[in-house]
Amino acid sequence: MAVTIKSAREIELMRESGRLLGIVHDELGKAIRPGISTKDIDKLGEELIRSFDCIPNFLNYHGYPASICVSVNEEVVHGIPRADHILKEGDIVSLDAGLIYKGYHSDAARTYAVGEISPEAGKLIEVTKQSFFEGIRMAKAGYHLYDISNAVASYVTAHGYGIVRDLVGHGIGTKLHEDPQIPNFAQNRKGLRLQPGMTLAVEPMINMGTGDVVWLDDKWTVVTADGAYSAHYENTILITEGEPEILTLPE
């Protein structure tokens, strides 16, 4: 496993890549409302990314046909935007987006409420988001990779939710997906020792029911096997000498 340690210059480029993606997510979040199509969200996201002279890293990645993954309700990840898929009151929608700035990738995801949602759906979104923050409390130099996994899993299972096991977080840098893989479920091993200069995309994908998922016929869209709602929260982070730095949250 070759995990890249970023130089000071590379870290600055990763910071800017992450900062710009954070702005993209903030703007997309403001656009979420009943009546907007998932294709409209994708179009806005691509326009925002290109307005920063950046490249949408998801577009055509292994053939993925859009710039923003837009996943609604029981769709976990990789939902393909469509003009005829209209968001409605009570939906939840997960947006997974990334960009390339001067050769360096950033990756982040958020789940949003569409208008008024049920308390149950709201709790799922909040627990998923908080599980990320529980995980990165362990994202420190000298700790081990699976300390992150175990912290996420412990928090989520205490709330009775299912953790997606078929998809995991990952390293990130000059490639969108680098080593190491970062599971969100409990591990018996320690995993590699974390070092300053590692950049990681930590991304819990949490289901209201079981953690089981299936792929639709489009070969991309991943949905919960039981039809229950799913939420997703992700940031690109930097391992430092102290607390981890979240690169994809705007200042």
mmCIF file of all heavy atoms in Angstrom, residues 37-42 59 63-72 75-86 94 216-223:
data_model
loop_
_atom_site.group_PDB
_atom_site.id
_atom_site.type_symbol
_atom_site.label_atom_id
_atom_site.label_comp_id
_atom_site.label_asym_id
_atom_site.label_seq_id
_atom_site.Cartn_x
_atom_site.Cartn_y
_atom_site.Cartn_z
ATOM 1 N N SER A 37 -34.903 20.021 -10.244
ATOM 2 C CA SER A 37 -34.557 18.681 -10.734
ATOM 3 C C SER A 37 -33.120 18.341 -10.335
ATOM 4 O O SER A 37 -32.287 19.229 -10.097
ATOM 5 C CB SER A 37 -34.696 18.598 -12.255
ATOM 6 O OG SER A 37 -33.603 19.228 -12.897
ATOM 7 N N THR A 38 -32.838 17.056 -10.268
ATOM 8 C CA THR A 38 -31.470 16.643 -9.947
ATOM 9 C C THR A 38 -30.513 17.078 -11.056
ATOM 10 O O THR A 38 -29.342 17.349 -10.797
ATOM 11 C CB THR A 38 -31.391 15.125 -9.706
ATOM 12 O OG1 THR A 38 -31.855 14.415 -10.840
ATOM 13 C CG2 THR A 38 -32.238 14.721 -8.489
ATOM 14 N N LYS A 39 -31.014 17.184 -12.281
ATOM 15 C CA LYS A 39 -30.189 17.673 -13.399
ATOM 16 C C LYS A 39 -29.846 19.152 -13.206
ATOM 17 O O LYS A 39 -28.718 19.578 -13.515
ATOM 18 C CB LYS A 39 -30.936 17.475 -14.724
ATOM 19 C CG LYS A 39 -30.117 17.830 -15.961
ATOM 20 C CD LYS A 39 -28.982 16.845 -16.180
ATOM 21 C CE LYS A 39 -28.232 17.146 -17.467
ATOM 22 N NZ LYS A 39 -27.032 16.270 -17.578
ATOM 23 N N ASP A 40 -30.796 19.938 -12.682
ATOM 24 C CA ASP A 40 -30.522 21.360 -12.395
ATOM 25 C C ASP A 40 -29.377 21.491 -11.387
ATOM 26 O O ASP A 40 -28.526 22.375 -11.503
ATOM 27 C CB ASP A 40 -31.767 22.046 -11.806
ATOM 28 C CG ASP A 40 -32.888 22.223 -12.817
ATOM 29 O OD1 ASP A 40 -32.588 22.276 -14.030
ATOM 30 O OD2 ASP A 40 -34.053 22.298 -12.395
ATOM 31 N N ILE A 41 -29.374 20.625 -10.384
ATOM 32 C CA ILE A 41 -28.325 20.653 -9.359
ATOM 33 C C ILE A 41 -26.969 20.354 -9.994
ATOM 34 O O ILE A 41 -25.970 21.038 -9.732
ATOM 35 C CB ILE A 41 -28.633 19.646 -8.233
ATOM 36 C CG1 ILE A 41 -29.920 20.039 -7.509
ATOM 37 C CG2 ILE A 41 -27.463 19.543 -7.250
ATOM 38 C CD1 ILE A 41 -30.478 18.947 -6.615
ATOM 39 N N ASP A 42 -26.948 19.340 -10.841
ATOM 40 C CA ASP A 42 -25.707 18.975 -11.528
ATOM 41 C C ASP A 42 -25.190 20.123 -12.397
ATOM 42 O O ASP A 42 -23.992 20.437 -12.389
ATOM 43 C CB ASP A 42 -25.944 17.732 -12.384
ATOM 44 C CG ASP A 42 -24.728 17.350 -13.205
ATOM 45 O OD1 ASP A 42 -23.657 17.126 -12.603
ATOM 46 O OD2 ASP A 42 -24.838 17.281 -14.437
ATOM 47 N N LEU A 59 -16.909 13.930 -13.495
ATOM 48 C CA LEU A 59 -17.421 13.864 -14.866
ATOM 49 C C LEU A 59 -16.548 12.942 -15.709
ATOM 50 O O LEU A 59 -15.334 13.162 -15.840
ATOM 51 C CB LEU A 59 -17.459 15.266 -15.471
ATOM 52 C CG LEU A 59 -18.057 15.379 -16.871
ATOM 53 C CD1 LEU A 59 -19.515 14.915 -16.905
ATOM 54 C CD2 LEU A 59 -17.945 16.816 -17.384
ATOM 55 N N GLY A 63 -16.478 6.629 -16.650
ATOM 56 C CA GLY A 63 -17.707 6.704 -17.435
ATOM 57 C C GLY A 63 -18.886 7.347 -16.733
ATOM 58 O O GLY A 63 -19.982 7.406 -17.313
ATOM 59 N N TYR A 64 -18.699 7.850 -15.505
ATOM 60 C CA TYR A 64 -19.827 8.498 -14.816
ATOM 61 C C TYR A 64 -20.246 9.742 -15.606
ATOM 62 O O TYR A 64 -19.407 10.574 -15.953
ATOM 63 C CB TYR A 64 -19.456 8.879 -13.377
ATOM 64 C CG TYR A 64 -20.623 9.460 -12.614
ATOM 65 C CD1 TYR A 64 -21.648 8.646 -12.149
ATOM 66 C CD2 TYR A 64 -20.733 10.834 -12.417
ATOM 67 C CE1 TYR A 64 -22.735 9.172 -11.475
ATOM 68 C CE2 TYR A 64 -21.819 11.372 -11.738
ATOM 69 C CZ TYR A 64 -22.816 10.536 -11.270
ATOM 70 O OH TYR A 64 -23.895 11.060 -10.615
ATOM 71 N N PRO A 65 -21.564 9.890 -15.895
ATOM 72 C CA PRO A 65 -21.995 10.883 -16.892
ATOM 73 C C PRO A 65 -22.319 12.278 -16.352
ATOM 74 O O PRO A 65 -22.934 13.074 -17.055
ATOM 75 C CB PRO A 65 -23.259 10.238 -17.468
ATOM 76 C CG PRO A 65 -23.851 9.488 -16.317
ATOM 77 C CD PRO A 65 -22.676 8.985 -15.526
ATOM 78 N N ALA A 66 -21.933 12.609 -15.118
ATOM 79 C CA ALA A 66 -22.304 13.912 -14.558
ATOM 80 C C ALA A 66 -21.176 14.444 -13.675
ATOM 81 O O ALA A 66 -20.206 13.742 -13.376
ATOM 82 C CB ALA A 66 -23.595 13.784 -13.750
ATOM 83 N N SER A 67 -21.325 15.701 -13.260
ATOM 84 C CA SER A 67 -20.319 16.344 -12.401
ATOM 85 C C SER A 67 -20.632 16.208 -10.922
ATOM 86 O O SER A 67 -19.731 16.237 -10.086
ATOM 87 C CB SER A 67 -20.219 17.835 -12.755
ATOM 88 O OG SER A 67 -19.785 18.000 -14.083
ATOM 89 N N ILE A 68 -21.917 16.110 -10.585
ATOM 90 C CA ILE A 68 -22.360 15.976 -9.195
ATOM 91 C C ILE A 68 -23.172 14.690 -9.067
ATOM 92 O O ILE A 68 -24.088 14.451 -9.863
ATOM 93 C CB ILE A 68 -23.247 17.172 -8.763
ATOM 94 C CG1 ILE A 68 -22.637 18.520 -9.172
ATOM 95 C CG2 ILE A 68 -23.530 17.103 -7.253
ATOM 96 C CD1 ILE A 68 -21.361 18.888 -8.471
ATOM 97 N N CYS A 69 -22.834 13.863 -8.075
ATOM 98 C CA CYS A 69 -23.662 12.691 -7.778
ATOM 99 C C CYS A 69 -24.834 13.176 -6.910
ATOM 100 O O CYS A 69 -24.609 13.741 -5.830
ATOM 101 C CB CYS A 69 -22.872 11.645 -7.011
ATOM 102 S SG CYS A 69 -21.470 10.964 -7.906
ATOM 103 N N VAL A 70 -26.056 12.959 -7.404
ATOM 104 C CA VAL A 70 -27.244 13.438 -6.700
ATOM 105 C C VAL A 70 -28.101 12.218 -6.348
ATOM 106 O O VAL A 70 -28.699 11.589 -7.223
ATOM 107 C CB VAL A 70 -28.049 14.440 -7.558
ATOM 108 C CG1 VAL A 70 -29.179 15.056 -6.739
ATOM 109 C CG2 VAL A 70 -27.151 15.531 -8.125
ATOM 110 N N SER A 71 -28.145 11.878 -5.059
ATOM 111 C CA SER A 71 -28.789 10.644 -4.604
ATOM 112 C C SER A 71 -29.937 10.995 -3.656
ATOM 113 O O SER A 71 -29.725 11.689 -2.665
ATOM 114 C CB SER A 71 -27.768 9.757 -3.897
ATOM 115 O OG SER A 71 -26.627 9.562 -4.729
ATOM 116 N N VAL A 72 -31.134 10.502 -3.984
ATOM 117 C CA VAL A 72 -32.351 10.915 -3.280
ATOM 118 C C VAL A 72 -32.931 9.749 -2.468
ATOM 119 O O VAL A 72 -33.081 8.639 -2.978
ATOM 120 C CB VAL A 72 -33.404 11.431 -4.286
ATOM 121 C CG1 VAL A 72 -34.653 11.925 -3.563
ATOM 122 C CG2 VAL A 72 -32.815 12.539 -5.161
ATOM 123 N N GLU A 75 -31.484 6.210 -2.341
ATOM 124 C CA GLU A 75 -30.240 6.172 -3.112
ATOM 125 C C GLU A 75 -29.085 6.551 -2.185
ATOM 126 O O GLU A 75 -29.119 7.591 -1.528
ATOM 127 C CB GLU A 75 -30.317 7.121 -4.304
ATOM 128 C CG GLU A 75 -31.379 6.708 -5.308
ATOM 129 C CD GLU A 75 -31.609 7.716 -6.421
ATOM 130 O OE1 GLU A 75 -31.112 8.858 -6.316
ATOM 131 O OE2 GLU A 75 -32.302 7.356 -7.385
ATOM 132 N N VAL A 76 -28.085 5.690 -2.112
ATOM 133 C CA VAL A 76 -26.972 5.889 -1.181
ATOM 134 C C VAL A 76 -25.934 6.830 -1.794
ATOM 135 O O VAL A 76 -25.565 7.847 -1.207
ATOM 136 C CB VAL A 76 -26.320 4.531 -0.816
ATOM 137 C CG1 VAL A 76 -25.164 4.731 0.158
ATOM 138 C CG2 VAL A 76 -27.353 3.570 -0.241
ATOM 139 N N VAL A 77 -25.449 6.455 -2.966
ATOM 140 C CA VAL A 77 -24.436 7.249 -3.672
ATOM 141 C C VAL A 77 -24.564 7.028 -5.171
ATOM 142 O O VAL A 77 -25.233 6.101 -5.625
ATOM 143 C CB VAL A 77 -22.988 6.877 -3.265
ATOM 144 C CG1 VAL A 77 -22.576 7.485 -1.951
ATOM 145 C CG2 VAL A 77 -22.760 5.396 -3.284
ATOM 146 N N HIS A 78 -23.880 7.901 -5.912
ATOM 147 C CA HIS A 78 -23.707 7.791 -7.369
ATOM 148 C C HIS A 78 -25.008 7.891 -8.145
ATOM 149 O O HIS A 78 -25.107 7.403 -9.277
ATOM 150 C CB HIS A 78 -22.974 6.488 -7.757
ATOM 151 C CG HIS A 78 -21.676 6.298 -7.033
ATOM 152 N ND1 HIS A 78 -21.095 5.065 -6.841
ATOM 153 C CD2 HIS A 78 -20.842 7.189 -6.442
ATOM 154 C CE1 HIS A 78 -19.963 5.209 -6.171
ATOM 155 N NE2 HIS A 78 -19.795 6.500 -5.903
ATOM 156 N N GLY A 79 -26.019 8.549 -7.552
ATOM 157 C CA GLY A 79 -27.249 8.801 -8.295
ATOM 158 C C GLY A 79 -26.947 9.661 -9.519
ATOM 159 O O GLY A 79 -26.217 10.652 -9.422
ATOM 160 N N ILE A 80 -27.497 9.288 -10.650
ATOM 161 C CA ILE A 80 -27.258 10.027 -11.897
ATOM 162 C C ILE A 80 -28.325 11.110 -12.055
ATOM 163 O O ILE A 80 -29.523 10.800 -12.050
ATOM 164 C CB ILE A 80 -27.264 9.075 -13.113
ATOM 165 C CG1 ILE A 80 -26.120 8.058 -12.989
ATOM 166 C CG2 ILE A 80 -27.150 9.857 -14.418
ATOM 167 C CD1 ILE A 80 -26.121 6.991 -14.073
ATOM 168 N N PRO A 81 -27.914 12.370 -12.175
ATOM 169 C CA PRO A 81 -28.888 13.458 -12.312
ATOM 170 C C PRO A 81 -29.756 13.293 -13.562
ATOM 171 O O PRO A 81 -29.259 12.886 -14.618
ATOM 172 C CB PRO A 81 -28.000 14.706 -12.426
ATOM 173 C CG PRO A 81 -26.695 14.309 -11.808
ATOM 174 C CD PRO A 81 -26.526 12.860 -12.127
ATOM 175 N N ARG A 82 -31.060 13.652 -13.405
ATOM 176 C CA ARG A 82 -32.007 13.545 -14.522
ATOM 177 C C ARG A 82 -32.936 14.751 -14.500
ATOM 178 O O ARG A 82 -33.348 15.219 -13.433
ATOM 179 C CB ARG A 82 -32.864 12.278 -14.416
ATOM 180 C CG ARG A 82 -32.123 10.974 -14.390
ATOM 181 C CD ARG A 82 -33.062 9.790 -14.659
ATOM 182 N NE ARG A 82 -34.397 9.959 -14.098
ATOM 183 C CZ ARG A 82 -34.839 9.334 -13.017
ATOM 184 N NH1 ARG A 82 -34.051 8.533 -12.326
ATOM 185 N NH2 ARG A 82 -36.078 9.519 -12.596
ATOM 186 N N ALA A 83 -33.293 15.204 -15.670
ATOM 187 C CA ALA A 83 -34.207 16.347 -15.792
ATOM 188 C C ALA A 83 -35.597 16.001 -15.265
ATOM 189 O O ALA A 83 -36.324 16.885 -14.809
ATOM 190 C CB ALA A 83 -34.276 16.801 -17.237
ATOM 191 N N ASP A 84 -35.975 14.717 -15.307
ATOM 192 C CA ASP A 84 -37.324 14.322 -14.881
ATOM 193 C C ASP A 84 -37.366 13.839 -13.435
ATOM 194 O O ASP A 84 -38.402 13.373 -12.959
ATOM 195 C CB ASP A 84 -37.881 13.237 -15.813
ATOM 196 C CG ASP A 84 -37.092 11.941 -15.790
ATOM 197 O OD1 ASP A 84 -35.968 11.927 -15.215
ATOM 198 O OD2 ASP A 84 -37.573 10.932 -16.342
ATOM 199 N N HIS A 85 -36.249 13.950 -12.725
ATOM 200 C CA HIS A 85 -36.231 13.579 -11.305
ATOM 201 C C HIS A 85 -36.321 14.871 -10.500
ATOM 202 O O HIS A 85 -35.333 15.580 -10.319
ATOM 203 C CB HIS A 85 -34.958 12.797 -10.958
ATOM 204 C CG HIS A 85 -35.038 12.092 -9.635
ATOM 205 N ND1 HIS A 85 -34.163 11.107 -9.245
ATOM 206 C CD2 HIS A 85 -35.927 12.228 -8.601
ATOM 207 C CE1 HIS A 85 -34.502 10.686 -8.032
ATOM 208 N NE2 HIS A 85 -35.555 11.347 -7.626
ATOM 209 N N ILE A 86 -37.535 15.171 -10.050
ATOM 210 C CA ILE A 86 -37.829 16.443 -9.371
ATOM 211 C C ILE A 86 -37.869 16.223 -7.861
ATOM 212 O O ILE A 86 -38.579 15.330 -7.382
ATOM 213 C CB ILE A 86 -39.184 17.014 -9.854
ATOM 214 C CG1 ILE A 86 -39.236 17.068 -11.406
ATOM 215 C CG2 ILE A 86 -39.435 18.395 -9.251
ATOM 216 C CD1 ILE A 86 -38.211 17.957 -12.043
ATOM 217 N N SER A 94 -28.601 13.570 -1.127
ATOM 218 C CA SER A 94 -27.159 13.565 -0.878
ATOM 219 C C SER A 94 -26.424 14.045 -2.122
ATOM 220 O O SER A 94 -26.652 13.527 -3.223
ATOM 221 C CB SER A 94 -26.685 12.154 -0.516
ATOM 222 O OG SER A 94 -27.312 11.689 0.661
ATOM 223 N N LEU A 216 -28.221 -0.460 -9.160
ATOM 224 C CA LEU A 216 -29.276 -0.455 -10.170
ATOM 225 C C LEU A 216 -28.710 -0.814 -11.543
ATOM 226 O O LEU A 216 -27.495 -0.882 -11.738
ATOM 227 C CB LEU A 216 -29.948 0.926 -10.219
ATOM 228 C CG LEU A 216 -30.678 1.377 -8.948
ATOM 229 C CD1 LEU A 216 -31.422 2.684 -9.194
ATOM 230 C CD2 LEU A 216 -31.652 0.297 -8.446
ATOM 231 N N ASP A 217 -29.608 -0.982 -12.497
ATOM 232 C CA ASP A 217 -29.201 -1.411 -13.840
ATOM 233 C C ASP A 217 -28.330 -0.383 -14.555
ATOM 234 O O ASP A 217 -27.647 -0.720 -15.518
ATOM 235 C CB ASP A 217 -30.433 -1.725 -14.699
ATOM 236 C CG ASP A 217 -31.151 -2.984 -14.237
ATOM 237 O OD1 ASP A 217 -30.528 -3.776 -13.500
ATOM 238 O OD2 ASP A 217 -32.323 -3.177 -14.603
ATOM 239 N N ASP A 218 -28.362 0.878 -14.090
ATOM 240 C CA ASP A 218 -27.494 1.875 -14.736
ATOM 241 C C ASP A 218 -26.028 1.674 -14.374
ATOM 242 O O ASP A 218 -25.152 2.391 -14.876
ATOM 243 C CB ASP A 218 -27.947 3.305 -14.405
ATOM 244 C CG ASP A 218 -27.857 3.657 -12.919
ATOM 245 O OD1 ASP A 218 -27.108 2.994 -12.181
ATOM 246 O OD2 ASP A 218 -28.533 4.620 -12.498
ATOM 247 N N LYS A 219 -25.757 0.689 -13.500
ATOM 248 C CA LYS A 219 -24.398 0.300 -13.085
ATOM 249 C C LYS A 219 -23.730 1.323 -12.166
ATOM 250 O O LYS A 219 -22.584 1.173 -11.778
ATOM 251 C CB LYS A 219 -23.489 0.044 -14.300
ATOM 252 C CG LYS A 219 -23.974 -1.031 -15.253
ATOM 253 C CD LYS A 219 -23.885 -2.415 -14.626
ATOM 254 C CE LYS A 219 -24.098 -3.508 -15.656
ATOM 255 N NZ LYS A 219 -25.515 -3.688 -15.977
ATOM 256 N N TRP A 220 -24.438 2.384 -11.820
ATOM 257 C CA TRP A 220 -23.880 3.429 -10.966
ATOM 258 C C TRP A 220 -24.653 3.606 -9.665
ATOM 259 O O TRP A 220 -24.081 3.579 -8.592
ATOM 260 C CB TRP A 220 -23.835 4.779 -11.718
ATOM 261 C CG TRP A 220 -22.665 4.883 -12.624
ATOM 262 C CD1 TRP A 220 -22.661 4.814 -14.005
ATOM 263 C CD2 TRP A 220 -21.292 5.052 -12.257
ATOM 264 N NE1 TRP A 220 -21.397 4.927 -14.491
ATOM 265 C CE2 TRP A 220 -20.530 5.081 -13.442
ATOM 266 C CE3 TRP A 220 -20.631 5.186 -11.028
ATOM 267 C CZ2 TRP A 220 -19.143 5.237 -13.442
ATOM 268 C CZ3 TRP A 220 -19.256 5.341 -11.015
ATOM 269 C CH2 TRP A 220 -18.530 5.369 -12.212
ATOM 270 N N THR A 221 -25.963 3.815 -9.781
ATOM 271 C CA THR A 221 -26.755 4.193 -8.611
ATOM 272 C C THR A 221 -26.802 3.054 -7.593
ATOM 273 O O THR A 221 -27.220 1.944 -7.908
ATOM 274 C CB THR A 221 -28.183 4.574 -9.028
ATOM 275 O OG1 THR A 221 -28.124 5.522 -10.084
ATOM 276 C CG2 THR A 221 -28.947 5.160 -7.859
ATOM 277 N N VAL A 222 -26.360 3.350 -6.376
ATOM 278 C CA VAL A 222 -26.386 2.389 -5.277
ATOM 279 C C VAL A 222 -27.568 2.747 -4.386
ATOM 280 O O VAL A 222 -27.712 3.896 -3.961
ATOM 281 C CB VAL A 222 -25.076 2.453 -4.463
ATOM 282 C CG1 VAL A 222 -25.107 1.426 -3.325
ATOM 283 C CG2 VAL A 222 -23.872 2.216 -5.372
ATOM 284 N N VAL A 223 -28.434 1.760 -4.107
ATOM 285 C CA VAL A 223 -29.622 2.001 -3.279
ATOM 286 C C VAL A 223 -29.629 1.036 -2.102
ATOM 287 O O VAL A 223 -28.989 -0.012 -2.130
ATOM 288 C CB VAL A 223 -30.933 1.845 -4.092
ATOM 289 C CG1 VAL A 223 -30.976 2.823 -5.258
ATOM 290 C CG2 VAL A 223 -31.104 0.412 -4.588
#
